[in-house]
Amino acid sequence: MPDKSALQQKLEELQKDYSKTKYNKATNKYLGALRAKIAKIKKSMAEKKGRGGTGFSVKKTGDATVVLVGFPNAGKSSLLTAITNAESRVAAYAFTTLEAIPGTLIYNGAKIQIVDLPGLVEGAHEGKGGGAKIASVIRTADLLLFIVDINTPDLLHKLVEELNELDIRPNREKPRIRIERRTTGGITIDSNKHNIPEKRNLVEVLNDFSIYNGNIIFYEDADLNDVVDVLSEGVAYIRGVVALNKVDTVEPAYATRMSQEIGRITGMKVVNISVLQNIRLDELKETLFRALELNRVYLKPRDGMADRENPMILRSGSTIMDVARHVHSKTARDVRYAYVTGRSAKFAGQKVGTEHVIMDEDEVTLIYLK
Ligand SMILES: Nc1nc2c(ncn2[C@@H]2O[C@H](COP(=O)(O)OP(=O)(O)OP(=O)(O)O)[C@@H](O)[C@H]2O)c(=O)[nH]1
Ligand SMILES: [Mg+2]
């Protein structure tokens, strides 16, 4: 078991990393680092263009894709084998998995694709251990499942750092900054927010991206790193969930404290599991389903029972029109309205229009134009 003070220190580091880099008065140094970052982005964009293909490609199937992210030996392949129909080789040493292996988990009627990957290594962003190939698969995920051995919890910090270097922002939203290009007038800033970059720094960064005229709107506090992220296409923002594995090897009190700490610091949902002893794997499945924000819709014929055995699976925010399209793309435009019973309805059998947003486990009766 790691010693407590060392652990505490790591967790504090993790926390620092998460609280956004604040604007630094040592402007030159800060801008220098950004310069390097920009140069790197440009280089990788040029490389992408040249290469054309990506690493080991995995075809996306099912209703959503979860990618397993972890350092070697954390138990990723064990988990894939335990919760999906696929098998991935497991061994007591690192670097067992060498390619991307997809499997399917069927949960609540949803087909969730889970992709096992080789372990990431430190320096993955510099191409170590096939880092670029691994990143190309990670970027396709709807959700990242971090698998961390509970005996080395601070490795989560390193994983997040590596992903950040690879322009993947786990569990973060795209900064709400809009850049409107213009042909004249120089750079103007539109914002009532207080924590935004100084204009001269902003201008320098924009010039780096060959923008000399434009209006920048900040809808929230942001720093120059956020501006660079918005300017550089290809930064991925993907929600994350953490599984602390091998809880069978530690004391329960330690495991509980660790998951609480990590949840507090990272803002991610944490589930303590043991793949080996089948501990809390059901809770993990439920967590994945919730984090993916998948909604079940039960179609109900006008004079019959809803089909609760075979839900239609839709993304959150889907409407009656999406339900209709799912039934059949050609007949969707003939849907006039629907009757809904469930969470999204004010009362059972509420009549709603095609723009009505459905919720998990709604029963829906579509009414078509005669
Ligand atoms: N004690 C314990 N051991 C586990 C658990 N889950 C996996 N292991 C063991 O950890 C070792 C590594 O498991 P793998 O599933 O191969 O790990 P991986 O993350 O796929 O590793 P790489 O493919 O090398 O990146 C194996 O010896 C597993 O039996 C668990 O819950 N408890
Ligand atoms: Mg493996």
Side-chain angles (χ1 to χ4, degrees):
M1 210 175 289
D3 122 31
K4 185 167 178 267
S5 63
L7 194 62
Q8 195 61 38
Q9 204 184 326
K10 285 292 176 195
L11 287 168
E12 276 166 19
E13 263 177 53
L14 188 58
Q15 187 162 32
K16 252 198 259 160
D17 202 56
Y18 264 89
S19 64
K20 283 188 192 165
T21 328
K22 282 277 169 308
Y23 170 68
N24 183 347
K25 281 288 177 212
T27 306
N28 285 335
K29 203 175 149 203
Y30 188 57
L31 277 176
L34 275 170
R35 275 283 127 66
K37 191 171 162 188
I38 291 164
K40 195 194 83 196
I41 289 164
K42 286 189 172 161
K43 187 164 159 260
S44 79
M45 286 197 311
E47 276 171 6
K48 258 179 225 151
K49 265 191 213 139
R51 227 183 322 122
T54 47
F56 23 51
S57 56
V58 178
K59 190 176 179 300
K60 280 187 90 160
T61 61
D63 298 304
T65 299
V66 177
V67 173
L68 305 182
V69 183
F71 280 112
N73 219 38
K76 300 177 295 299
S77 300
S78 305
L79 182 66
L80 184 88
T81 303
I83 67 173
T84 74
N85 59 347
E87 259 186 57
S88 185
R89 208 162 79 80
V90 170
Y93 46 81
F95 304 109
T96 307
T97 307
L98 300 171
E99 57 190 336
I101 301 174
T104 304
L105 160 68
I106 298 184
Y107 188 78
N108 283 344
K111 290 191 188 69
I112 302 173
Q113 181 184 42
I114 302 202
V115 182
D116 182 25
L117 283 176
L120 267 184
V121 297
E122 268 188 80
H125 68 278
E126 291 159 339
K128 290 204 183 116
K133 280 185 179 183
I134 296 172
S136 74
V137 177
I138 295 177
R139 302 172 79 82
T140 66
D142 298 302
L143 178 71
L144 305 178
L145 176 54
F146 290 101
I147 314 286
V148 177
D149 185 328
I150 194 157
N151 295 286
T152 51
D154 48 297
L155 289 185
L156 176 61
H157 173 201
K158 297 226 169 80
L159 280 176
V160 170
E161 248 181 16
E162 282 299 332
L163 293 192
N164 272 320
E165 290 287 346
L166 290 158
D167 281 339
I168 297 165
R169 308 276 174 266
N171 220 43
R172 280 184 44 193
E173 306 275 334
K174 186 174 184 177
R176 294 194 300 126
I177 302 169
R178 201 165 81 209
I179 296 159
E180 300 169 335
R181 291 171 191 247
R182 286 187 305 221
T183 50
T184 56
I187 302 290
T188 55
I189 301 172
D190 192 349
S191 172
N192 54 11
K193 302 291 171 211
H194 296 295
N195 290 314
I196 61 169
E198 266 181 42
K199 183 164 177 182
R200 63 193 169 94
N201 295 335
L202 197 57
V203 168
E204 277 196 51
V205 166
L206 288 164
N207 289 354
D208 268 334
F209 281 87
S210 311
I211 299 173
Y212 303 96
N213 299 290
N215 186 35
I216 318 301
I217 309 169
F218 288 90
Y219 296 101
E220 64 185 4
D221 289 344
D223 61 21
L224 280 173
N225 281 308
D226 296 323
V227 177
V228 172
D229 277 0
V230 169
L231 284 165
S232 32
E233 281 154 34
V235 178
Y237 302 87
I238 313 175
R239 187 176 300 189
V241 163
V242 181
L244 292 180
N245 189 26
K246 312 194 187 184
V247 288
D248 55 286
T249 62
V250 299
E251 284 166 24
Y254 164 83
T256 307
R257 199 174 63 230
M258 198 48 58
S259 65
Q260 284 170 352
E261 281 290 274
I262 289 181
R264 187 174 57 76
I265 293 167
T266 65
M268 287 191 266
K269 167 94 180 158
V270 183
V271 186
N272 286 353
I273 62 168
S274 165
V275 180
L276 213 59
Q277 298 194 357
N278 191 13
I279 297 171
R280 268 181 236 104
L281 296 187
D282 286 332
E283 187 183 326
L284 180 64
K285 292 175 194 172
E286 176 70 17
T287 300
L288 297 179
F289 183 82
R290 292 285 155 221
L292 286 166
E293 300 189 322
L294 297 176
N295 291 329
R296 289 159 284 183
V297 169
Y298 306 113
L299 287 181
K300 180 182 172 308
R302 214 165 178 180
D303 309 306
M305 298 282 283
D307 180 2
R308 295 188 72 92
E309 293 297 307
N310 300 296
M312 176 186 284
I313 303 292
L314 295 170
R315 296 299 171 101
S316 76
S318 294
T319 62
I320 293 295
M321 186 43 79
D322 294 316
V323 174
R325 283 198 198 101
H326 217 266
V327 171
H328 203 292
S329 59
K330 285 221 176 77
T331 57
R333 61 169 176 264
D334 293 335
V335 169
R336 284 292 156 264
Y337 56 93
Y339 293 108
V340 178
T341 298
R343 288 193 181 87
S344 81
K346 292 199 188 91
F347 49 86
Q350 187 191 354
K351 183 176 171 180
V352 300
T354 54
E355 296 308 304
H356 177 83
V357 175
I358 53 99
M359 288 172 85
D360 191 29
E361 297 209 88
D362 276 356
E363 290 186 7
V364 173
T365 304
L366 297 172
I367 306 296
Y368 291 85
L369 180 78
K370 287 279 159 4

